[in-house]
């Protein structure tokens, strides 16, 4: 059946907005070429989007040209602001951006393990509010004649360790994780009532970022193996992130593997893959083989050790032995995932995966060739630990644009 006039307008408007987002400012003539729509249809949608405050004239195309077709239109970036949070067991980081994803403010703060739930939540919320104010997203309320929420903090994307309930989108109560994680989500919803809060597993967000902006841009099927403070995996099949029946797809830290002294339990991943590849295990392996390093800035110790070993190169027997042993461990987890999913590509993510670079990725790939008949490319993350924040920001932007780009009721 043909689309109704209102549905057709909505489709055309979204198409134009996506093109303006991807290509940057465009003239009406260029929009006509890219969309294949008629000149009157493009003129109508430009007028609608301008009246709704989503696009505006940002210049003209050529000094000699005049008239409506010469005007260059762009998305109003400050129509809404977005925030992204990366919640870790030891602290929180936040960025605030405009509607196009350009970062306007960022901050981070450590939260010690002995900090109570209330103080920890207050520290994290205050950090978000401070960054939002710096970006101009929590200033005075807009004039009443403007659309509700104009320029304010519209959507907050949160990346957190643990399970996200696929039915409710809420962070589930997980053993071993700080209680302030769950409390923070509720506190943000209370303190920022105009903003929508979206929560996603941190490893899933890292995979989204690698797919959009990182090393997996050319892959619609891959697995990201997160190697950081803990371990995890994210599964992308046919371009879609897979979460599983309970939101637990990729909880690879609980995977029983050889080389440990016990088995994991429902409440503790000790004895699983985490015991081979988590930060503490990587640090212990380095100490055993004589590799030492001092972290730079906020770099995790495990990442510093791997970075130091890579920099030492093949002339260092200790560094070579360490990278070889670490690759042996990572290949065990990767081979288990490959045998079930056959993704064709594994991304070594997190700070450790990025620190290992091609030196570690190539080692893991060579081992997988021997362990599995399924051809699998192994790539090192290009985003590392920053992938979680980037993925959270992309999620917030997608959520905000889905709402803002939708046609007004009754149109």
């Amino acid at each position: 059946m043909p689309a109704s006039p209102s549905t057709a307008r909505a489709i055309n408007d979204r198409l134009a907005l996506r093109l303006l987002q991807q290509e940057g400012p465009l003239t009406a003539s260029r929009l006509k070429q890219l969309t294949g729509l008629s000149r009157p249809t493009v003129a109508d949608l430009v007028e609608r989007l301008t009246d709704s405050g989503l696009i505006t004239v940002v210049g003209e195309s050529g000094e000699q040209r005049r008239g409506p077709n010469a005007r260059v239109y762009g998305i109003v970036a400050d129509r809404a602001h977005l925030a992204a949070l990366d919640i870790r067991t030891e602290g929180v980081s936040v960025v605030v951006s405009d509607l196009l994803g350009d970062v306007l403010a960022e901050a981070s703060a450590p939260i010690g393990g002995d900090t109570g739930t209330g103080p920890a939540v207050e520290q994290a919320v205050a950090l978000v509010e401070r960054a939002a104010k710096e970006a101009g997203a929590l200033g005075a309320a807009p004039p009443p004649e403007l659309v509700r929420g104009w320029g304010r903090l519209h959507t907050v994307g949160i990346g957190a360790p643990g399970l996200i309930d696929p039915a409710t989108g809420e962070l589930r109560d997980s053993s071993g994780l700080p209680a302030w994680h769950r409390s923070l989500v509720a506190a943000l919803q209370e303190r920022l009532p105009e903003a929508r809060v979206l929560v996603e597993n941190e490893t899933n967000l890292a995979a989204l970022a690698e797919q959009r902006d990182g090393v997996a841009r050319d892959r619609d099927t891959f697995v990201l193996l997160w190697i950081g403070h803990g371990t995890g995996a994210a599964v992308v099949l046919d371009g879609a992130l897979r979460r599983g029946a309970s939101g637990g797809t990729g909880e690879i830290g609980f995977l029983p593997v050889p080389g440990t002294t016990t088995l994991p339990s429902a409440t503790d991943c000790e004895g699983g893959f985490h015991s081979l590849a988590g930060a503490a295990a990587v640090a212990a392996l380095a100490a055993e083989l004589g590799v030492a390093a001092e972290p730079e800035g906020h770099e995790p110790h495990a990442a510093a050790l791997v970075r130091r070993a890579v920099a030492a190169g093949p002339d260092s027997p200790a560094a070579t032995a360490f990278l070889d042993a670490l690759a042996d461990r990572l290949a065990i987890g990767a081979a288990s995932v490959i045998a079930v999913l056959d993704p064709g590509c594994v991304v070594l993510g997190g700070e450790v995966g990025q620190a290992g670079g091609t030196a570690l990725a190539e080692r893991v790939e060579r081992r997988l060739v021997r362990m599995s008949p399924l051809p699998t490319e192994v790539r090192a993350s290009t985003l590392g630990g920053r992938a979680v924040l980037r993925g959270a920001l992309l999620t917030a932007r997608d959520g905000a644009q889905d709402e803002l780009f939708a046609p007004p009721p009754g149109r």
Side-chain angles (χ1 to χ4, degrees), residues 344-371:
C345 178
V346 171
V347 175
L348 299 184
E351 295 90 348
V352 172
Q354 184 182 39
T358 56
L360 183 59
E362 288 175 355
R363 280 174 163 84
V364 175
E365 184 172 320
R366 287 197 296 269
R367 284 153 177 78
L368 291 176
V369 169
R370 298 195 300 265
M371 297 170 68

Side-chain angles (χ1 to χ4, degrees), residues 67-120:
N69 289 334
R71 294 171 186 160
V72 178
Y73 296 91
I75 290 178
V76 180
D78 61 356
R79 170 63 181 81
H81 289 87
L82 316 168
L85 279 76
D86 180 3
I87 304 175
R88 304 289 180 96
T89 55
E90 69 278 9
V92 61
S93 298
V94 58
V95 298
V96 179
S97 81
D98 60 24
L99 186 58
L100 291 178
D102 293 330
V103 174
L104 306 174
E106 54 187 317
S108 61
I111 297 179
D114 57 349
T115 306
T117 298

Side-chain angles (χ1 to χ4, degrees), residues 152-248:
R152 308 282 280 179
L153 196 59
H154 184 283
T155 304
V156 179
I158 299 176
L163 299 175
I164 310 298
D165 190 314
T168 65
E170 295 179 351
L171 183 62
R172 289 169 54 183
D173 198 2
S174 301
S175 60
L177 294 177
W180 63 266
H181 284 193
R182 277 175 57 85
S183 300
L184 174 59
V185 175
L188 284 171
Q189 290 174 328
E190 180 180 346
R191 294 270 282 269
L192 303 170
E194 291 187 355
R196 181 169 51 163
V197 178
L198 306 175
V199 187
E200 181 58 272
N201 173 266
E202 60 179 356
T203 309
N204 287 345
L205 290 178
L208 173 64
E210 294 288 355
Q211 183 185 31
R212 297 270 197 95
D213 300 333
V215 74
R217 289 190 299 272
D218 62 334
R219 306 290 307 199
D220 63 357
T221 295
F222 69 97
V223 168
L224 181 135
L225 195 63
W226 179 269
I227 312 296
H229 176 74
T231 58
V235 177
V236 177
L237 300 178
D238 299 325
L241 188 66
R242 307 297 179 175
R243 295 177 175 83
S246 63

